Amino acid sequence: MTETGPDGDSRSGPAADDASRVLVAGASGQTGGELLSVLRPTELTVRATTRSYATADTLERHGADEVVVADFFEPRDAVDAVRDCDVVYCAVGTPPSYRHTLGGKLVDRTGVINLVTAALGSDVSFFVYQSAIGVGNSKRGLSLPARLLIRGSLRAKRDAETALRRSGLAYTIVRPGRLTNEPPRGDLVVGEGGDSVAGSIPRTDVARLMAAAPFTPDAENRTLEVVSRDGLADTPTNVVDIDWAFDRIEADRDRMQL
């Protein structure tokens, strides 16, 4: 039996228990790099993507077993990247530019949708997507000036979220607050329903949450907002209690008590 969540999410049972090879799309970005570090000590085979051959050695040092150079504006590159993967971790995003405001052809939309489409045609059992607080029904978690400044990328991420929910893939959409490069806090506040939490969160904590999502039954087919308790900007509402499978990714439970 499936259950529908507050943002159109349908919920079912776990889907990635037997995963062996995972894809980190956008591994050359900061959150993607943190994901590689989190996944490195696991038994999973980790494939990483980058748009430049120049960063391939760096990704291997950070924990990638395989590196694929891919441009996700090209559907064929997306197909090649997901081939033989069980899980897709999607941390792609547009580098700082005027496109965040104006929108247009953004990897946050086109690239993610190409990855979702490729995953549908492959053996992918779970898709984890890093979105952002401010997208869709979470817009009140981001100030109006900030929303106006990045309105193009927020719309692109909204469209990508919608495509993933409608795809039929098992998924978790993680909407982090403002990302920082601070050490991991571990004491996180997770909300659901859009108007739930606001604030900031270290990238490492986001990476650990994303890494655990495919192995966490309570996270399947849900859209979750997450911030650090130390980074809270307002009183949280609609907080949810999820037993994240950090043991599956060998994360340190003492540092990750939710």
Side-chain angles (χ1 to χ4, degrees):
M1 180 176 179
T2 59
E3 181 182 343
T4 300
D7 210 337
D9 308 292
S10 60
R11 299 179 192 162
S12 56
D17 285 346
D18 298 326
S20 60
R21 175 179 277 104
V22 303
L23 173 71
V24 179
S28 55
Q30 294 184 74
T31 304
E34 295 289 356
L35 263 168
L36 290 181
S37 297
V38 171
L39 294 167
R40 183 173 191 170
T42 71
E43 296 180 357
L44 298 166
T45 299
V46 181
R47 177 182 296 164
T49 72
T50 176
R51 294 189 66 182
S52 171
Y53 287 98
T55 59
D57 289 344
T58 300
L59 297 184
E60 289 177 351
R61 288 197 300 272
H62 285 177
D65 299 296
E66 306 166 1
V67 177
V68 174
V69 178
D71 179 355
F72 292 129
F73 285 115
E74 298 295 334
R76 184 174 298 179
D77 282 10
V79 170
D80 291 341
V82 305
R83 184 174 290 116
D84 299 327
C85 288
D86 304 299
V87 173
V88 172
Y89 294 105
C90 182
V92 301
T94 302
S97 76
Y98 65 90
R99 290 193 173 94
H100 280 285
T101 303
L102 299 181
K105 187 179 180 182
L106 299 178
V107 71
D108 309 69
R109 176 189 293 109
T110 307
V112 177
I113 292 175
N114 281 342
L115 275 168
V116 169
T117 303
L120 279 170
S122 183
D123 295 324
V124 170
S125 60
F126 208 98
F127 198 108
V128 184
Y129 175 45
Q130 179 197 345
S131 184
I133 288 179
V135 174
N137 62 1
S138 69
K139 66 180 182 180
R140 293 179 65 180
L142 193 64
S143 69
L144 178 59
R147 293 203 308 269
L148 291 174
L149 184 63
I150 60 171
R151 60 185 182 273
S153 58
L154 292 177
R155 287 195 295 265
K157 291 179 185 294
R158 177 201 63 198
D159 294 346
E161 284 189 5
T162 300
L164 179 54
R165 288 192 198 96
R166 293 176 177 175
S167 68
L169 290 167
Y171 68 88
T172 301
I173 296 171
V174 179
R175 292 172 170 171
R178 181 177 58 85
L179 295 168
T180 74
N181 293 320
E182 296 177 359
R185 302 291 187 187
D187 190 8
L188 306 181
V189 183
V190 181
E192 184 177 26
D195 187 14
S196 62
V197 300
S200 63
I201 181 172
R203 294 177 189 276
T204 302
D205 284 330
V206 175
R208 287 175 175 172
L209 213 65
M210 290 178 66
F215 313 104
T216 303
D218 285 348
E220 185 168 332
N221 295 342
R222 299 177 82 169
T223 300
L224 303 169
E225 295 86 39
V226 57
V227 299
S228 168
R229 190 171 298 278
D230 289 347
L232 276 170
D234 206 344
T235 303
T237 60
N238 301 324
V239 174
V240 295
D241 184 17
I242 293 178
D243 185 18
W244 296 95
F246 292 121
D247 54 341
R248 181 67 171 80
I249 59 165
E250 300 181 10
D252 188 340
R253 280 184 175 273
D254 292 337
R255 298 172 70 184
M256 293 298 298
Q257 292 299 315
L258 298 186

mmCIF file of all heavy atoms in Angstrom, residues 82-118:
data_model
loop_
_atom_site.group_PDB
_atom_site.id
_atom_site.type_symbol
_atom_site.label_atom_id
_atom_site.label_comp_id
_atom_site.label_asym_id
_atom_site.label_seq_id
_atom_site.Cartn_x
_atom_site.Cartn_y
_atom_site.Cartn_z
ATOM 1 N N VAL A 82 24.714 6.563 -15.559
ATOM 2 C CA VAL A 82 23.907 5.746 -14.636
ATOM 3 C C VAL A 82 23.991 4.258 -14.939
ATOM 4 O O VAL A 82 23.531 3.445 -14.128
ATOM 5 C CB VAL A 82 22.422 6.177 -14.657
ATOM 6 C CG1 VAL A 82 22.279 7.654 -14.372
ATOM 7 C CG2 VAL A 82 21.741 5.814 -15.978
ATOM 8 N N ARG A 83 24.581 3.889 -16.050
ATOM 9 C CA ARG A 83 24.603 2.476 -16.452
ATOM 10 C C ARG A 83 25.201 1.604 -15.346
ATOM 11 O O ARG A 83 26.266 1.911 -14.796
ATOM 12 C CB ARG A 83 25.389 2.299 -17.750
ATOM 13 C CG ARG A 83 25.380 0.874 -18.282
ATOM 14 C CD ARG A 83 26.052 0.775 -19.631
ATOM 15 N NE ARG A 83 25.254 1.412 -20.679
ATOM 16 C CZ ARG A 83 25.645 2.464 -21.372
ATOM 17 N NH1 ARG A 83 26.835 3.020 -21.130
ATOM 18 N NH2 ARG A 83 24.871 2.986 -22.303
ATOM 19 N N ASP A 84 24.499 0.533 -14.982
ATOM 20 C CA ASP A 84 24.924 -0.458 -13.986
ATOM 21 C C ASP A 84 24.921 0.080 -12.556
ATOM 22 O O ASP A 84 25.431 -0.585 -11.645
ATOM 23 C CB ASP A 84 26.327 -0.996 -14.299
ATOM 24 C CG ASP A 84 26.383 -1.702 -15.648
ATOM 25 O OD1 ASP A 84 25.376 -2.321 -16.034
ATOM 26 O OD2 ASP A 84 27.434 -1.616 -16.318
ATOM 27 N N CYS A 85 24.338 1.265 -12.334
ATOM 28 C CA CYS A 85 24.275 1.812 -10.979
ATOM 29 C C CYS A 85 22.934 1.474 -10.329
ATOM 30 O O CYS A 85 21.903 1.429 -10.996
ATOM 31 C CB CYS A 85 24.461 3.333 -10.992
ATOM 32 S SG CYS A 85 26.157 3.843 -11.358
ATOM 33 N N ASP A 86 22.967 1.246 -9.026
ATOM 34 C CA ASP A 86 21.759 0.932 -8.273
ATOM 35 C C ASP A 86 21.144 2.182 -7.642
ATOM 36 O O ASP A 86 19.928 2.260 -7.454
ATOM 37 C CB ASP A 86 22.079 -0.074 -7.165
ATOM 38 C CG ASP A 86 22.721 -1.334 -7.704
ATOM 39 O OD1 ASP A 86 22.078 -2.032 -8.512
ATOM 40 O OD2 ASP A 86 23.882 -1.615 -7.341
ATOM 41 N N VAL A 87 21.994 3.133 -7.285
ATOM 42 C CA VAL A 87 21.550 4.361 -6.624
ATOM 43 C C VAL A 87 22.188 5.548 -7.312
ATOM 44 O O VAL A 87 23.366 5.501 -7.690
ATOM 45 C CB VAL A 87 21.941 4.356 -5.128
ATOM 46 C CG1 VAL A 87 21.634 5.706 -4.474
ATOM 47 C CG2 VAL A 87 21.218 3.246 -4.383
ATOM 48 N N VAL A 88 21.414 6.620 -7.473
ATOM 49 C CA VAL A 88 21.942 7.889 -7.981
ATOM 50 C C VAL A 88 21.841 8.922 -6.868
ATOM 51 O O VAL A 88 20.768 9.156 -6.316
ATOM 52 C CB VAL A 88 21.168 8.383 -9.216
ATOM 53 C CG1 VAL A 88 21.623 9.799 -9.607
ATOM 54 C CG2 VAL A 88 21.355 7.428 -10.382
ATOM 55 N N TYR A 89 22.980 9.509 -6.529
ATOM 56 C CA TYR A 89 23.017 10.675 -5.649
ATOM 57 C C TYR A 89 23.246 11.890 -6.539
ATOM 58 O O TYR A 89 24.300 12.007 -7.176
ATOM 59 C CB TYR A 89 24.167 10.571 -4.643
ATOM 60 C CG TYR A 89 24.039 9.450 -3.648
ATOM 61 C CD1 TYR A 89 24.821 8.301 -3.759
ATOM 62 C CD2 TYR A 89 23.155 9.545 -2.572
ATOM 63 C CE1 TYR A 89 24.722 7.273 -2.833
ATOM 64 C CE2 TYR A 89 23.049 8.519 -1.642
ATOM 65 C CZ TYR A 89 23.834 7.386 -1.776
ATOM 66 O OH TYR A 89 23.727 6.375 -0.851
ATOM 67 N N CYS A 90 22.278 12.773 -6.592
ATOM 68 C CA CYS A 90 22.354 13.902 -7.507
ATOM 69 C C CYS A 90 22.632 15.186 -6.743
ATOM 70 O O CYS A 90 21.767 15.688 -6.012
ATOM 71 C CB CYS A 90 21.055 14.024 -8.301
ATOM 72 S SG CYS A 90 21.081 15.363 -9.504
ATOM 73 N N ALA A 91 23.845 15.723 -6.917
ATOM 74 C CA ALA A 91 24.241 16.962 -6.261
ATOM 75 C C ALA A 91 24.690 17.990 -7.296
ATOM 76 O O ALA A 91 25.529 18.839 -7.010
ATOM 77 C CB ALA A 91 25.356 16.698 -5.249
ATOM 78 N N VAL A 92 24.121 17.908 -8.495
ATOM 79 C CA VAL A 92 24.521 18.845 -9.548
ATOM 80 C C VAL A 92 23.894 20.212 -9.281
ATOM 81 O O VAL A 92 22.847 20.325 -8.639
ATOM 82 C CB VAL A 92 24.112 18.344 -10.946
ATOM 83 C CG1 VAL A 92 24.731 17.002 -11.238
ATOM 84 C CG2 VAL A 92 22.591 18.269 -11.082
ATOM 85 N N GLY A 93 24.560 21.243 -9.766
ATOM 86 C CA GLY A 93 24.038 22.591 -9.598
ATOM 87 C C GLY A 93 24.770 23.564 -10.495
ATOM 88 O O GLY A 93 25.878 23.293 -10.976
ATOM 89 N N THR A 94 24.145 24.691 -10.730
ATOM 90 C CA THR A 94 24.721 25.724 -11.590
ATOM 91 C C THR A 94 25.749 26.537 -10.813
ATOM 92 O O THR A 94 25.446 27.014 -9.712
ATOM 93 C CB THR A 94 23.620 26.666 -12.102
ATOM 94 O OG1 THR A 94 22.649 25.896 -12.817
ATOM 95 C CG2 THR A 94 24.186 27.745 -13.006
ATOM 96 N N PRO A 95 26.978 26.709 -11.338
ATOM 97 C CA PRO A 95 27.959 27.562 -10.660
ATOM 98 C C PRO A 95 27.436 28.989 -10.550
ATOM 99 O O PRO A 95 26.553 29.402 -11.313
ATOM 100 C CB PRO A 95 29.185 27.496 -11.587
ATOM 101 C CG PRO A 95 28.980 26.265 -12.406
ATOM 102 C CD PRO A 95 27.503 26.113 -12.572
ATOM 103 N N PRO A 96 27.939 29.771 -9.593
ATOM 104 C CA PRO A 96 27.472 31.146 -9.420
ATOM 105 C C PRO A 96 27.551 31.946 -10.718
ATOM 106 O O PRO A 96 28.610 32.014 -11.358
ATOM 107 C CB PRO A 96 28.444 31.714 -8.371
ATOM 108 C CG PRO A 96 28.886 30.517 -7.599
ATOM 109 C CD PRO A 96 28.963 29.404 -8.600
ATOM 110 N N SER A 97 26.419 32.509 -11.122
ATOM 111 C CA SER A 97 26.359 33.319 -12.338
ATOM 112 C C SER A 97 25.015 34.017 -12.405
ATOM 113 O O SER A 97 24.138 33.794 -11.561
ATOM 114 C CB SER A 97 26.550 32.446 -13.591
ATOM 115 O OG SER A 97 25.367 31.718 -13.877
ATOM 116 N N TYR A 98 24.849 34.844 -13.418
ATOM 117 C CA TYR A 98 23.586 35.546 -13.626
ATOM 118 C C TYR A 98 22.439 34.579 -13.890
ATOM 119 O O TYR A 98 21.270 34.930 -13.727
ATOM 120 C CB TYR A 98 23.731 36.507 -14.806
ATOM 121 C CG TYR A 98 23.964 35.822 -16.127
ATOM 122 C CD1 TYR A 98 22.895 35.439 -16.945
ATOM 123 C CD2 TYR A 98 25.258 35.541 -16.569
ATOM 124 C CE1 TYR A 98 23.104 34.800 -18.156
ATOM 125 C CE2 TYR A 98 25.479 34.897 -17.776
ATOM 126 C CZ TYR A 98 24.402 34.531 -18.563
ATOM 127 O OH TYR A 98 24.609 33.887 -19.751
ATOM 128 N N ARG A 99 22.755 33.344 -14.288
ATOM 129 C CA ARG A 99 21.702 32.377 -14.603
ATOM 130 C C ARG A 99 20.866 32.016 -13.376
ATOM 131 O O ARG A 99 19.725 31.605 -13.510
ATOM 132 C CB ARG A 99 22.304 31.114 -15.212
ATOM 133 C CG ARG A 99 22.854 31.316 -16.621
ATOM 134 C CD ARG A 99 23.133 29.967 -17.266
ATOM 135 N NE ARG A 99 23.507 30.114 -18.657
ATOM 136 C CZ ARG A 99 24.751 30.186 -19.089
ATOM 137 N NH1 ARG A 99 25.742 30.119 -18.208
ATOM 138 N NH2 ARG A 99 25.021 30.303 -20.370
ATOM 139 N N HIS A 100 21.450 32.141 -12.182
ATOM 140 C CA HIS A 100 20.667 31.867 -10.979
ATOM 141 C C HIS A 100 19.460 32.798 -10.894
ATOM 142 O O HIS A 100 18.420 32.432 -10.348
ATOM 143 C CB HIS A 100 21.537 32.044 -9.731
ATOM 144 C CG HIS A 100 22.417 30.870 -9.456
ATOM 145 N ND1 HIS A 100 21.953 29.692 -8.938
ATOM 146 C CD2 HIS A 100 23.752 30.699 -9.643
ATOM 147 C CE1 HIS A 100 22.956 28.835 -8.805
ATOM 148 N NE2 HIS A 100 24.057 29.418 -9.229
ATOM 149 N N THR A 101 19.613 33.996 -11.441
ATOM 150 C CA THR A 101 18.506 34.956 -11.417
ATOM 151 C C THR A 101 17.632 34.836 -12.658
ATOM 152 O O THR A 101 16.402 34.767 -12.563
ATOM 153 C CB THR A 101 19.050 36.394 -11.316
ATOM 154 O OG1 THR A 101 19.864 36.515 -10.146
ATOM 155 C CG2 THR A 101 17.903 37.401 -11.242
ATOM 156 N N LEU A 102 18.265 34.778 -13.821
ATOM 157 C CA LEU A 102 17.515 34.821 -15.067
ATOM 158 C C LEU A 102 16.924 33.475 -15.459
ATOM 159 O O LEU A 102 15.943 33.414 -16.204
ATOM 160 C CB LEU A 102 18.419 35.342 -16.191
ATOM 161 C CG LEU A 102 18.972 36.757 -15.999
ATOM 162 C CD1 LEU A 102 19.830 37.146 -17.191
ATOM 163 C CD2 LEU A 102 17.847 37.764 -15.788
ATOM 164 N N GLY A 103 17.534 32.395 -14.977
ATOM 165 C CA GLY A 103 17.036 31.075 -15.355
ATOM 166 C C GLY A 103 17.541 30.666 -16.725
ATOM 167 O O GLY A 103 18.706 30.867 -17.057
ATOM 168 N N GLY A 104 16.672 30.103 -17.538
ATOM 169 C CA GLY A 104 17.080 29.614 -18.853
ATOM 170 C C GLY A 104 17.453 28.147 -18.782
ATOM 171 O O GLY A 104 16.899 27.380 -17.997
ATOM 172 N N LYS A 105 18.418 27.749 -19.587
ATOM 173 C CA LYS A 105 18.851 26.355 -19.646
ATOM 174 C C LYS A 105 19.824 26.090 -18.493
ATOM 175 O O LYS A 105 20.996 26.472 -18.549
ATOM 176 C CB LYS A 105 19.511 26.058 -20.991
ATOM 177 C CG LYS A 105 19.843 24.584 -21.193
ATOM 178 C CD LYS A 105 20.478 24.351 -22.566
ATOM 179 C CE LYS A 105 20.813 22.880 -22.773
ATOM 180 N NZ LYS A 105 21.475 22.647 -24.087
ATOM 181 N N LEU A 106 19.335 25.473 -17.454
ATOM 182 C CA LEU A 106 20.136 25.212 -16.261
ATOM 183 C C LEU A 106 20.268 23.713 -16.028
ATOM 184 O O LEU A 106 19.318 22.954 -16.230
ATOM 185 C CB LEU A 106 19.495 25.852 -15.025
ATOM 186 C CG LEU A 106 19.317 27.378 -15.034
ATOM 187 C CD1 LEU A 106 18.618 27.817 -13.752
ATOM 188 C CD2 LEU A 106 20.654 28.068 -15.170
ATOM 189 N N VAL A 107 21.436 23.290 -15.541
ATOM 190 C CA VAL A 107 21.631 21.889 -15.231
ATOM 191 C C VAL A 107 20.725 21.466 -14.079
ATOM 192 O O VAL A 107 20.357 20.294 -13.963
ATOM 193 C CB VAL A 107 23.122 21.613 -14.899
ATOM 194 C CG1 VAL A 107 23.508 22.209 -13.546
ATOM 195 C CG2 VAL A 107 23.427 20.123 -14.958
ATOM 196 N N ASP A 108 20.333 22.430 -13.242
ATOM 197 C CA ASP A 108 19.406 22.138 -12.140
ATOM 198 C C ASP A 108 18.071 21.607 -12.653
ATOM 199 O O ASP A 108 17.360 20.901 -11.923
ATOM 200 C CB ASP A 108 19.140 23.402 -11.315
ATOM 201 C CG ASP A 108 20.396 24.106 -10.883
ATOM 202 O OD1 ASP A 108 21.078 24.669 -11.765
ATOM 203 O OD2 ASP A 108 20.693 24.120 -9.680
ATOM 204 N N ARG A 109 17.716 21.952 -13.861
ATOM 205 C CA ARG A 109 16.482 21.438 -14.465
ATOM 206 C C ARG A 109 16.810 20.383 -15.527
ATOM 207 O O ARG A 109 16.506 19.208 -15.358
ATOM 208 C CB ARG A 109 15.668 22.567 -15.104
ATOM 209 C CG ARG A 109 14.402 22.076 -15.831
ATOM 210 C CD ARG A 109 13.739 23.183 -16.630
ATOM 211 N NE ARG A 109 13.185 24.228 -15.788
ATOM 212 C CZ ARG A 109 13.692 25.464 -15.695
ATOM 213 N NH1 ARG A 109 14.770 25.807 -16.406
ATOM 214 N NH2 ARG A 109 13.122 26.372 -14.918
ATOM 215 N N THR A 110 17.454 20.826 -16.608
ATOM 216 C CA THR A 110 17.691 19.940 -17.752
ATOM 217 C C THR A 110 18.564 18.750 -17.382
ATOM 218 O O THR A 110 18.262 17.606 -17.731
ATOM 219 C CB THR A 110 18.338 20.730 -18.900
ATOM 220 O OG1 THR A 110 17.540 21.876 -19.194
ATOM 221 C CG2 THR A 110 18.486 19.867 -20.133
ATOM 222 N N GLY A 111 19.647 19.022 -16.671
ATOM 223 C CA GLY A 111 20.557 17.944 -16.310
ATOM 224 C C GLY A 111 19.932 16.931 -15.375
ATOM 225 O O GLY A 111 20.090 15.717 -15.556
ATOM 226 N N VAL A 112 19.209 17.424 -14.364
ATOM 227 C CA VAL A 112 18.582 16.509 -13.411
ATOM 228 C C VAL A 112 17.504 15.674 -14.101
ATOM 229 O O VAL A 112 17.408 14.460 -13.884
ATOM 230 C CB VAL A 112 17.990 17.288 -12.221
ATOM 231 C CG1 VAL A 112 17.261 16.327 -11.273
ATOM 232 C CG2 VAL A 112 19.077 18.045 -11.473
ATOM 233 N N ILE A 113 16.702 16.315 -14.949
ATOM 234 C CA ILE A 113 15.646 15.575 -15.650
ATOM 235 C C ILE A 113 16.258 14.533 -16.589
ATOM 236 O O ILE A 113 15.741 13.417 -16.718
ATOM 237 C CB ILE A 113 14.715 16.539 -16.392
ATOM 238 C CG1 ILE A 113 13.909 17.364 -15.374
ATOM 239 C CG2 ILE A 113 13.768 15.785 -17.325
ATOM 240 C CD1 ILE A 113 13.038 18.439 -15.986
ATOM 241 N N ASN A 114 17.375 14.877 -17.227
ATOM 242 C CA ASN A 114 18.057 13.878 -18.066
ATOM 243 C C ASN A 114 18.535 12.690 -17.229
ATOM 244 O O ASN A 114 18.462 11.531 -17.668
ATOM 245 C CB ASN A 114 19.239 14.521 -18.795
ATOM 246 C CG ASN A 114 18.804 15.319 -20.006
ATOM 247 O OD1 ASN A 114 17.694 15.161 -20.520
ATOM 248 N ND2 ASN A 114 19.670 16.200 -20.477
ATOM 249 N N LEU A 115 19.019 12.962 -16.021
ATOM 250 C CA LEU A 115 19.457 11.880 -15.134
ATOM 251 C C LEU A 115 18.279 11.019 -14.688
ATOM 252 O O LEU A 115 18.380 9.792 -14.629
ATOM 253 C CB LEU A 115 20.174 12.465 -13.916
ATOM 254 C CG LEU A 115 21.665 12.767 -14.077
ATOM 255 C CD1 LEU A 115 22.162 13.598 -12.907
ATOM 256 C CD2 LEU A 115 22.465 11.467 -14.179
ATOM 257 N N VAL A 116 17.160 11.664 -14.350
ATOM 258 C CA VAL A 116 15.970 10.913 -13.949
ATOM 259 C C VAL A 116 15.501 10.013 -15.094
ATOM 260 O O VAL A 116 15.184 8.835 -14.895
ATOM 261 C CB VAL A 116 14.845 11.872 -13.515
ATOM 262 C CG1 VAL A 116 13.518 11.132 -13.348
ATOM 263 C CG2 VAL A 116 15.226 12.583 -12.212
ATOM 264 N N THR A 117 15.468 10.563 -16.305
ATOM 265 C CA THR A 117 15.045 9.789 -17.476
ATOM 266 C C THR A 117 15.985 8.617 -17.719
ATOM 267 O O THR A 117 15.542 7.491 -18.003
ATOM 268 C CB THR A 117 14.990 10.690 -18.715
ATOM 269 O OG1 THR A 117 14.107 11.785 -18.465
ATOM 270 C CG2 THR A 117 14.501 9.920 -19.930
ATOM 271 N N ALA A 118 17.297 8.871 -17.590
ATOM 272 C CA ALA A 118 18.268 7.794 -17.780
ATOM 273 C C ALA A 118 18.114 6.721 -16.707
ATOM 274 O O ALA A 118 18.221 5.523 -16.986
ATOM 275 C CB ALA A 118 19.682 8.375 -17.751
#
